[in-house]
Amino acid sequence: MISPKEVQKIAQLARIELAPGEEEKLSKDLESILRYMDSIAEVAVEDIEESMHTVQVNVFRSDRKVEKFDDAAPLVAPAPRKEKGFIKVKKIIG
Amino acid sequence: MTIINLGDLTIESARSLLHEGKISARELTSIYQEEINTKNPELNAYLEVFDDTFAEAKEIDERLRSGEAPRALEGIPFAIKDNILIKDRICSAASRILENYQASYDAFVIKKLREAGALFLGRTNMDEFAMGSSTENSAFGATKNPYDPSRVPGGSSGGSAVSVASNLALAALGSDTGGSIRQPAGFCGVVGLKPTYGAVSRSGLIAMASSLDQIGPIAKTVRDAELIFDVIKGKDLLDSTSVQYQPQIPNLKSKKLRVGVPKEYFSVKGGEGIDKDVLGVINKAIETLRGLGHEIKEVSLPHTPYALSCYYIIAPAEISANLARYDGVRYGLYKEGKNVIEEYFKTRAAGLGEEVRRRIILGTYVLSAGYYEAYYGRASKVRSLIKKDFENVFREVDLLITPISPKPAFKIGEKIDDPLSMYLEDIFLVTANLAGVPALSLPFGQVDRGGVSLPVGIQLIASWFSESILFEAGKILESHR
């Protein structure tokens, strides 16, 4: 149902490097999990709305005044690579 | 100083002792720290014990001595699950990827506990990112069940449950996405509450599956769990799904409760069903309620058999999105690569454990083009039906009584190589998260396994914002144990 090759493709999408041989093991694990999950195909769901949340609340709020935020240091601090208050990454556009 | 028997101590009794000056917050803190020093090397309940709790206890003592009225949790020493942020402390979610991550703010619940006078002893072990039912998935070693160290304490809040069960803290916070408070509480013989979704803010909780996650108390008594819940609940601007808690005052026709026994929970497929000794404990609880004059009624929640499938589609889908942020850029582990994309791959491979990677991949799969409709879309519809089942059943009864787990605590290593059998542990628990209703687990009996007595509990489920019914029924059962 989900081949090692397909696992490899999904892992690419999920940005996870697999160890050698890991796709075979994952393919076996996922096979048994997905077989169990297939039971939901039996449920009649025509005209049923999808539930993304359980308690219906209005998650929107009214606009608030934007205040100047000048305490960025603790937010930048955990970044593994940083310079002069900025988070540093390698060049992404070639 | 008064001689304290930690086994009998509750939040209420500790508060009186502190208020009457029979013990100081410093003494209480030291007693727990000594217990931790003695027992934690074997149990591995704590990942870190804070070194300045004693100094904070001193402030509490000064406050108590000044004659100020004690606050709700004045001087009560807590253990905190390692996915709840405490400012300036490491918060690792028991993952290598966050091993050295220091929180820059307090979670809402931590703020609330501080304002109520609580003390924090340390942060507790858990399954990595709260993914697991045994605490074996921690990157920092498994936690042991205090009743039998060859067995698991349950999970993912295993460290929190063990700390309360072994007197390494008077109370604890855990988080529950699909049973992670209730199952370890059950395996360790303590009380656990998963509140109504939205009752407690998730701000400062490291997200696993945002539509299912709730923070809740683990405590020794139902009353203690209630006291903590009263402190931590409430609307928070930083969690748009949190609500102003408006308790549903039970519209009880008489003092008698209508207790539903959902038949689907007693005819599970998969595994070998419910252990007969566990069933014996549930039946005893049902008969106790009946004997006290409460109405017992068999009820049906017809979509229960699909709940676990539904959960293990929706939760991994949300996990795959929530955990995309661990990429080695903003926080956590970083592995060098030749470009930024390669760095994502290497960092995530090195920092995320096996179960976490499995769930991210499963979640990415069920959301991917061509499979979305069959899996995530369909599961979201089944979720509506599960919710509807609860709406219908709570027109007939005030609460439901069910098992927590099919069996008592299992052996370390027994299920770790078989993910599906581990997932089946959550079969009675995920429904409450999918529907958002509150659920309480409490100990009610013991079973003998190889000469060792293991605790067995029961689960009570009530309607949205009806925690008060859970506390009421829980206290009744507790006093007739």
Side-chain angles (χ1 to χ4, degrees):
Chain A
M1 197 160 44
I2 173 161
S3 65
K5 218 179 128 191
E6 223 172 335
V7 170
Q8 192 59 256
K9 197 184 122 203
I10 298 289
Q12 284 289 317
L13 293 172
R15 301 283 187 262
I16 292 176
E17 186 178 79
L18 298 179
E22 202 182 350
E23 59 265 46
E24 273 84 23
K25 188 180 178 300
L26 273 167
S27 145
K28 269 217 315 263
D29 289 348
L30 296 187
E31 180 79 34
S32 76
I33 296 166
L34 290 169
R35 201 180 310 127
Y36 180 85
M37 285 174 181
D38 277 339
S39 71
I40 66 157
E42 300 164 10
V43 188
V45 293
E46 295 75 38
D47 309 322
I48 305 291
E49 296 261 321
E50 294 183 1
S51 272
M52 303 301 185
H53 267 281
T54 51
V55 174
Q56 292 308 324
V57 288
N58 179 4
V59 296
F60 296 100
R61 55 164 176 77
S62 43
D63 287 342
R64 270 177 268 160
K65 204 178 136 224
V66 178
E67 280 164 40
K68 192 170 179 305
F69 182 79
D70 53 10
D71 194 20
L75 304 179
V76 177
R81 298 171 76 230
K82 51 198 171 266
E83 206 176 294
K84 294 176 190 155
F86 290 94
I87 292 171
K88 196 172 160 184
V89 288
K90 286 197 171 138
K91 192 166 86 168
I92 200 156
I93 303 165
Chain B
M1 173 180 147
T2 317
I3 303 293
I4 300 287
N5 179 357
L6 286 185
D8 297 334
L9 202 64
T10 63
I11 292 179
E12 278 194 319
S13 63
R15 270 185 86 229
S16 321
L17 291 172
L18 286 160
H19 188 44
E20 292 157 14
K22 292 190 174 141
I23 189 170
S24 69
R26 275 167 297 173
E27 283 163 343
L28 193 59
T29 301
S30 303
I31 296 171
Y32 279 106
Q33 284 172 336
E34 271 170 43
E35 289 292 304
I36 296 170
N37 287 340
T38 315
K39 296 181 192 160
N40 199 56
E42 185 189 14
L43 296 173
N44 199 27
Y46 282 89
L47 291 175
E48 185 191 358
V49 181
F50 302 146
D51 53 15
D52 55 1
T53 313
F54 193 81
E56 284 172 16
K58 191 163 172 262
E59 289 170 32
I60 301 279
D61 284 333
E62 279 159 14
R63 198 186 156 102
L64 281 165
R65 244 199 337 263
S66 77
E68 272 191 69
R71 295 167 288 180
L73 300 170
E74 194 80 66
I76 304 301
F78 271 74
I80 304 294
K81 187 176 183 180
D82 194 30
N83 60 351
I84 299 172
L85 270 51
I86 306 178
K87 193 176 187 305
D88 298 331
R89 301 277 183 204
I90 301 268
C91 189
S92 79
S95 179
R96 290 276 172 222
I97 211 157
L98 289 178
E99 191 170 1
N100 299 310
Y101 169 69
Q102 222 175 31
S104 56
Y105 64 99
D106 273 339
F108 179 82
V109 290
I110 294 297
K111 237 182 263 172
K112 287 283 191 181
L113 289 185
R114 272 192 214 284
E115 286 163 12
L119 293 165
F120 307 118
L121 289 166
R123 53 189 178 93
T124 54
N125 204 4
M126 55 186 278
D127 286 296
E128 184 178 359
F129 284 106
M131 298 178 203
S133 311
S134 68
T135 315
E136 291 169 286
N137 291 334
S138 166
F140 309 110
T143 298
K144 311 285 168 58
N145 189 307
Y147 288 83
D148 176 353
S150 72
R151 291 178 189 270
V152 303
S156 66
S157 311
S160 287
V162 171
S163 68
V164 176
S166 319
N167 300 315
L168 308 182
L170 186 44
L173 289 186
S175 66
D176 190 314
T177 307
S180 279
I181 286 175
R182 291 161 286 157
Q183 186 248 19
F187 279 5
C188 295
V190 290
V191 174
L193 171 73
K194 185 209 81 81
T196 306
Y197 185 84
V200 178
S201 167
R202 293 176 293 109
S203 168
L205 171 69
I206 294 182
M208 172 181 161
S210 306
S211 81
L212 302 159
D213 296 341
Q214 269 297 281
I215 296 171
I218 295 179
K220 278 154 78 177
T221 64
V222 174
R223 175 65 184 147
D224 280 2
E226 183 181 19
L227 286 169
I228 301 165
F229 175 66
D230 282 342
V231 167
I232 62 173
K233 68 182 196 288
K235 168 90 183 150
D236 172 19
L237 281 174
L238 297 178
D239 174 2
S240 63
T241 62
S242 68
V243 297
Q244 192 61 51
Y245 192 84
Q246 283 168 328
Q248 294 303 302
I249 306 302
N251 182 20
L252 304 178
K253 289 209 178 66
S254 64
K255 278 271 175 214
K256 300 302 172 194
L257 295 163
R258 297 170 302 165
V259 184
V261 180
K263 60 179 185 194
E264 290 82 6
Y265 284 66
F266 293 86
S267 56
V268 283
K269 284 185 278 181
E272 302 103 56
I274 306 173
D275 177 279
K276 72 171 189 352
D277 297 334
V278 170
L279 203 55
V281 172
I282 315 294
N283 284 332
K284 203 177 106 204
I286 293 170
E287 289 318 311
T288 302
L289 290 170
R290 199 199 303 274
L292 293 166
H294 301 287
E295 186 190 338
I296 308 294
K297 191 171 172 186
E298 186 181 89
V299 293
S300 172
L301 293 108
H303 296 91
T304 305
Y306 306 104
L308 196 72
S309 300
C310 184
Y311 176 84
Y312 274 100
I313 292 167
I314 290 172
E318 295 188 23
I319 286 164
S320 71
N322 271 331
L323 272 74
R325 73 191 71 178
Y326 304 109
D327 55 9
V329 174
R330 281 164 297 166
Y331 28 64
L333 187 80
Y334 164 72
K335 289 281 170 192
E336 172 109 49
K338 60 178 187 293
N339 55 44
V340 77
I341 301 293
E342 197 185 284
E343 287 177 352
Y344 292 170
F345 278 91
K346 289 197 178 301
T347 299
R348 288 161 70 78
L352 300 173
E354 192 179 355
E355 177 62 19
V356 175
R357 294 203 304 273
R358 190 186 291 126
R359 291 202 198 184
I360 290 174
I361 287 175
L362 180 59
T364 307
Y365 179 78
V366 299
L367 288 175
S368 62
Y371 297 104
Y372 178 95
E373 279 306 320
Y375 290 111
Y376 186 74
R378 182 170 269 270
S380 299
K381 290 177 180 174
V382 174
R383 184 176 190 181
S384 302
L385 293 167
I386 289 169
K387 207 176 136 188
K388 192 92 198 137
D389 282 353
F390 280 103
E391 283 168 14
N392 293 336
V393 84
F394 287 127
R395 286 191 198 105
E396 285 179 63
V397 294
D398 303 311
L399 76 158
L400 301 169
I401 184 165
T402 84
I404 301 171
S405 316
K407 294 181 176 57
F410 49 92
K411 292 270 187 182
I412 290 175
E414 193 179 321
K415 295 176 193 275
I416 198 74
D417 295 321
D418 182 356
L420 185 60
S421 80
M422 191 71 91
Y423 297 173
L424 284 163
E425 269 300 305
D426 303 332
I427 197 153
F428 304 130
L429 302 168
V430 297
T431 48
N433 302 81
L434 288 167
V437 291
L440 180 79
S441 68
L442 72 151
F444 200 72
Q446 293 84 34
V447 299
D448 185 84
R449 286 292 177 275
V452 181
S453 177
L454 300 174
V456 171
I458 51 168
Q459 174 178 228
L460 305 175
I461 308 174
S463 183
W464 295 265
F465 304 104
S466 296
E467 275 82 354
S468 63
I469 292 184
L470 298 178
F471 297 138
E472 183 188 339
K475 286 173 199 168
I476 294 170
L477 285 168
E478 211 168 40
S479 63
H480 289 86
R481 193 151 59 206

